[in-house]
Amino acid sequence: MPKLSPADVPEIKLDSVALAIEASMTREQRRGLFEKPGRVVVAIVELTSKTYTGHAEDEDKAPSVKVRVTGCEVARTDEDATTLREAKRAMYRGRQIDGTLDEVGEGPMRPDSQLAGLVADKPTEDELMAHKRAVEERNRAQYVR
């Protein structure tokens, strides 16, 4: 893989595979996006680099990398959407403080310090596993009858 000079900033291109996004959305959310142009859903996404394009040193083209959404969860309630927007604003403030942006906003500076409280009422991994076991047991009990 070619090395980039410190001055090079690759262009990011989004891969067209959106299965992770589609799988995380409800039927109503999908219909809402179609029926109401301009509608917004809020999501957490994971991006994975899949391919890159490099050029010869004397080429006047910027390097690029194609990324694919490989993980996604879409907010299903207004409260979840508000939580994600707050986390986004907190990360934005962090970029401002780091010098990426010009102005500093008000509020907490570290999103990770806020997320624990914001997701406190959401199920834990242990609760999810217990739920899955209970569903499996119910399904097994139905077939035994």
Side-chain angles (χ1 to χ4, degrees):
M1 179 173 296
K3 297 289 181 195
L4 296 174
S5 75
D8 287 332
V9 179
E11 176 185 359
I12 300 295
K13 297 181 178 184
L14 187 60
D15 188 33
S16 63
V17 177
L19 296 175
I21 297 170
E22 184 175 352
S24 69
M25 295 179 72
T26 65
R27 181 175 188 263
E28 292 76 25
Q29 287 172 320
R30 292 186 216 178
R31 290 183 59 86
L33 289 171
F34 179 83
E35 293 170 348
K36 300 173 185 164
R39 183 161 189 167
V40 174
V41 295
V42 181
I44 296 173
V45 297
E46 295 175 4
L47 302 174
T48 303
S49 61
K50 292 297 180 180
T51 59
Y52 71 93
T53 303
H55 301 286
E57 287 183 29
D58 60 345
E59 191 69 30
D60 191 25
K61 288 180 124 181
S64 67
V65 62
K66 186 178 282 189
V67 297
R68 181 177 297 157
V69 175
T70 52
C72 179
E73 282 302 323
V74 175
R76 294 176 185 244
T77 65
D78 290 341
E79 293 79 19
D80 286 347
T82 298
T83 299
L84 295 180
R85 285 186 179 104
E86 284 299 321
K88 181 180 83 167
R89 282 192 286 273
M91 290 187 286
Y92 178 79
R93 289 189 295 270
R95 287 195 301 133
Q96 290 173 320
I97 288 171
D98 291 342
T100 307
L101 302 169
D102 296 316
E103 299 175 12
V104 176
E106 297 177 18
M109 300 303 173
R110 296 285 311 166
D112 53 343
S113 68
Q114 300 297 309
L115 288 177
L118 295 171
V119 298
D121 64 336
K122 301 296 180 207
T124 65
E125 287 294 325
D126 291 338
E127 291 169 329
L128 174 62
M129 295 308 294
H131 170 75
K132 287 180 178 181
R133 283 191 299 272
V135 168
E136 286 176 13
E137 289 175 16
R138 277 195 304 267
N139 289 341
R140 259 188 255 128
Q142 285 179 341
Y143 292 118
V144 172
R145 293 181 190 182

